[in-house]
Amino acid sequence: MSNIFNYGTDHLTIGICLDIASGKTKGIINKEAADMIQASWREVEKIVHSHHPVYGINTGFGPLCDTRISEEDTSLLQSNILKSHSVGVGKPIPQEIAKLMMITKVHALAQGYSGIALKTLERIIWHIDNDIVPVVPEKGSVGASGDLAPLSHLFLPLIGLGEVFENGERQPASKLLNKHGLQPLLLGPKEGLALINGTQFILSFAMKAVQRLDDALNRADLIGAMSLEGLMGSIRPFDERLHQIRPFKGTRMVAHRLFTLLDGSEINSSHINCDRVQDPYSLRCMPQVHGASRNAWLHLKELTEIELNSVTDNPVIFNADDTISGGNFHGQPLALPLDYATTAAAEIGNIADRRCYLMSEGRYGLPKLLTHDAGLNSGLMIPQYTTAALVTENKTLCFPASADSVPTSLGQEDHVSMGSISGRKLHQVIDNIEYIQAIELLYAAQAMDFRRPLRSTPVIEACHELVRQHVDFIQDDRVFAVDINSLHKLITDGSLLQTAGEAAIAHHIDLSHDEFGIY
């Protein structure tokens, strides 16, 4: 493997982290990082022997922070915290998310401020490299002292407890360790606390959301352009000059993409001199609406990358005489942009539903409900009901979890972020968007067929052809759920964006924008 990432010393990006999780890049601890890790570990040893009280090393946790722990019990304290804090409930999170949690935790701890032992990080890297992923329940974190419950479950296998997935099989961690000839680790002072203090649950959901939302935004422009062609909308609202005088980054990018996607279309050229003065907002305001969501995405990406390279442990160990018990574990810096991104994502589905409705109305030369024989056939009447239902479900998910706070830990943790909920909700919204976009794609391809023999641009036509390889033109009513699921697969497996990308490259069309990448 040629791609190497050095934990603790290199700059981690979302793209690199995803590549480590997929096995395209290997994460290692180099000598520089190993020296920092071991130096920090030695400072913690000094604290233990000095008997100077430092939170979580020789004191209890949370409201028990004033309870002193004897030197001989400091190790037992660390294994106890993993056990007692493993209180998560619900189904397991996706294995990729759990793997991202391990990767981001190693990178944070390898920076040398946490007092972790090198052997502990090497065991976590063993899990990453061998794709042996701990079972982590989805619910139970309030996102304040870090993601305590999910991180506790994540690292139970280090001490021979909990469960793991290997090759898709769920099994006890103790059985797995025996199979591979490994012994459970005996955690040293501070190690248990270092493992479970941090925002890696929130962070990993944020990272994956950045990737998924990026794809959804790229599809929104592409499918929106197809819908505009089906509705014979104008590309004039995407003129670069218009967006130079209101230069939001996302708006300018979307306008450029739409104009580039549609420039040279026969369909567009055929109605340049029509008497239609302006299009409905869901067509001509795509740069402003999609672009605003792009701006929210960019904000989330930037803050996520800061968090990726941060130390979110507590206390932070500068040296044995200089430790700070602060709040770097608090999830608020990500909770707020995750909630913002949830609303931004929901709006992508909202405007797509409006385009579906437009295409079913029978305006601009299209037949009502996009069928020749409306009456005997319902045509594309009911799929828009599904988009309407999904849009409303997304709206209910837009309540910001970060607006709520329930005090915990007997009031010691009297303000919490609830960012873990923000992260999970965002993915639920994106799940719904993928179905909404599948339905808009069904409508857009059908509407474009009514404009034949006129053709659109190479990228749009390549996408239309892909649709028709899987879903036939609708002549008569059929079970449309089959069509929707077929198109949903093209969306979720990346086929639609891959087809568009290949066509763009083949015809020397540039749809990219470096600032909006994840590497």
Side-chain angles (χ1 to χ4, degrees):
M1 184 181 298
S2 59
N3 295 326
I4 297 294
F5 177 81
N6 295 294
Y7 288 118
T9 59
D10 287 350
H11 182 81
L12 187 56
T13 67
I14 294 168
I16 292 171
C17 198
L18 292 167
D19 281 352
I20 296 172
S22 66
K24 295 177 184 175
T25 295
K26 180 174 176 60
I28 65 170
I29 294 176
N30 61 18
K31 184 179 185 304
E32 180 185 355
D35 288 346
M36 295 190 302
I37 293 162
Q38 290 172 320
S40 181
W41 179 80
R42 286 192 292 270
E43 294 301 309
V44 169
E45 288 289 301
K46 292 178 186 177
I47 292 170
V48 172
H49 297 315
S50 73
H51 303 289
H52 177 69
V54 176
Y55 175 76
I57 296 177
N58 49 25
T59 76
F61 306 110
L64 302 175
C65 60
D66 295 325
T67 302
R68 292 296 297 272
I69 304 297
S70 66
E71 183 174 340
E72 56 270 23
D73 285 336
T74 53
S75 181
L76 177 60
L77 176 70
Q78 302 305 315
S79 60
N80 279 349
I81 194 175
L82 286 186
K83 297 174 189 176
S84 66
H85 287 51
S86 294
V87 294
V89 297
K91 64 184 180 182
I93 62 174
Q95 292 182 50
E96 183 184 14
I97 299 289
K99 202 169 182 183
L100 292 172
M101 289 175 67
M102 290 191 287
I103 293 164
T104 54
K105 176 57 81 173
V106 171
H107 187 52
L109 296 179
Q111 295 179 50
Y113 295 97
S114 301
I116 198 85
L118 182 59
K119 64 178 175 57
T120 304
L121 292 185
E122 289 172 341
R123 176 64 65 84
I124 300 171
I125 293 171
W126 177 85
H127 276 270
I128 296 167
D129 289 347
N130 291 280
D131 204 28
I132 295 172
V133 183
V135 175
V136 179
E138 64 178 348
K139 301 178 183 180
S141 172
V142 296
S145 280
D147 295 304
L148 295 175
L151 283 168
S152 297
H153 284 278
L154 186 73
F155 294 122
L156 277 177
L158 297 180
I159 60 173
L161 302 176
E163 296 178 293
V164 295
F165 289 108
E166 184 182 30
N167 298 322
E169 180 187 352
R170 183 173 176 172
Q171 57 188 292
S174 57
K175 177 182 175 183
L176 186 281
L177 292 177
N178 286 333
K179 173 184 169 183
H180 289 274
L182 297 173
Q183 294 295 318
L185 297 180
L186 179 64
L187 297 179
K190 177 70 165 59
E191 288 200 275
L193 187 60
L195 290 169
I196 72 171
N197 253 287
T199 60
Q200 284 74 35
F201 182 90
I202 301 172
L203 175 58
S204 298
F205 272 95
M207 258 195 302
K208 191 62 183 175
V210 168
Q211 181 193 43
R212 293 185 69 200
L213 185 52
D214 184 38
D215 288 346
L217 289 162
N218 287 331
R219 289 191 303 267
D221 299 341
L222 182 62
I223 302 170
M226 293 176 68
S227 296
L228 183 136
E229 289 285 71
L231 287 158
M232 283 193 161
S234 173
I235 69 169
R236 289 274 291 165
F238 315 140
D239 189 308
E240 182 183 7
R241 295 171 300 168
L242 185 65
H243 303 286
Q244 285 176 340
I245 59 176
R246 197 191 188 202
F248 290 106
K249 290 179 181 178
T251 303
R252 293 180 66 188
M253 179 195 183
V254 173
H256 168 77
R257 282 170 56 83
L258 290 170
F259 192 91
T260 304
L261 282 167
L262 296 165
D263 189 29
S265 161
E266 288 181 5
I267 298 174
N268 178 69
S269 299
S270 72
H271 61 88
I272 285 178
N273 296 317
C274 70
D275 57 2
R276 203 157 115 199
V277 176
Q278 59 184 17
D279 295 324
Y281 288 2
S282 61
L283 298 180
R284 65 182 159 109
C285 295
M286 280 192 281
Q288 290 78 14
V289 178
H290 294 190
S293 294
R294 285 268 181 190
N295 290 332
W297 176 91
L298 186 60
H299 187 217
L300 177 62
K301 187 202 82 162
E302 290 173 345
L303 297 187
T304 297
E305 192 164 311
I306 291 172
E307 191 78 333
L308 268 177
N309 294 282
S310 298
V311 175
T312 55
D313 190 10
N314 180 63
V316 170
I317 311 297
F318 292 101
N319 59 58
D321 299 315
D322 189 5
T323 66
I324 299 178
S325 188
N328 276 10
F329 50 68
H330 203 293
Q332 196 79 349
L334 285 185
L336 290 175
L338 281 166
D339 284 332
Y340 173 26
T342 301
T343 300
E347 281 302 291
I348 291 299
N350 204 346
I351 195 171
D353 165 75
R354 293 299 80 209
R355 291 191 291 264
C356 292
Y357 189 88
L358 267 180
M359 285 182 277
S360 69
E361 278 190 304
R363 299 168 68 182
Y364 312 131
L366 292 174
K368 187 174 291 186
L369 303 174
L370 294 176
T371 183
H372 286 299
D373 193 8
L376 176 62
N377 291 296
S378 294
L380 290 180
M381 178 195 302
I382 303 300
Q384 190 266 326
Y385 284 39
T386 303
T387 62
L390 294 172
V391 162
T392 292
E393 184 173 315
N394 280 351
K395 290 174 184 175
T396 68
L397 291 167
C398 282
F399 177 83
S402 58
D404 190 24
S405 177
V406 179
T408 56
S409 195
L410 305 184
Q412 179 75 3
E413 299 163 10
D414 55 356
H415 182 280
V416 299
S417 76
M418 300 297 181
S420 61
I421 301 168
S422 305
R424 290 193 298 107
K425 287 200 299 101
L426 175 51
H427 283 270
Q428 290 176 266
V429 169
I430 296 172
D431 288 343
N432 288 337
I433 289 171
E434 289 169 348
Y435 279 108
I436 293 168
Q437 290 183 328
I439 293 170
E440 185 185 2
L441 190 57
L442 179 69
Y443 277 75
Q446 183 79 358
M448 282 181 63
D449 280 329
F450 286 109
R451 305 309 184 185
R452 298 306 188 207
L454 297 173
R455 297 183 68 78
S456 185
T457 59
V459 174
I460 299 298
E461 288 296 338
C463 293
H464 182 274
E465 181 181 348
L466 177 68
V467 171
R468 286 291 169 252
Q469 289 171 5
H470 296 269
V471 172
D472 293 334
F473 176 80
I474 300 165
Q475 295 283 2
D476 300 300
D477 283 352
R478 60 194 190 219
V479 180
F480 292 125
V482 176
D483 299 329
I484 293 168
N485 286 325
S486 294
L487 296 180
H488 180 259
K489 186 174 187 300
L490 297 182
I491 281 171
T492 56
D493 69 8
S495 297
L496 183 68
L497 289 179
Q498 181 180 347
T499 296
E502 290 171 353
I505 291 170
H507 291 86
H508 309 289
I509 297 169
D510 184 12
L511 298 173
S512 63
H513 197 296
D514 290 342
E515 190 169 5
F516 287 83
I518 60 173
Y519 285 93

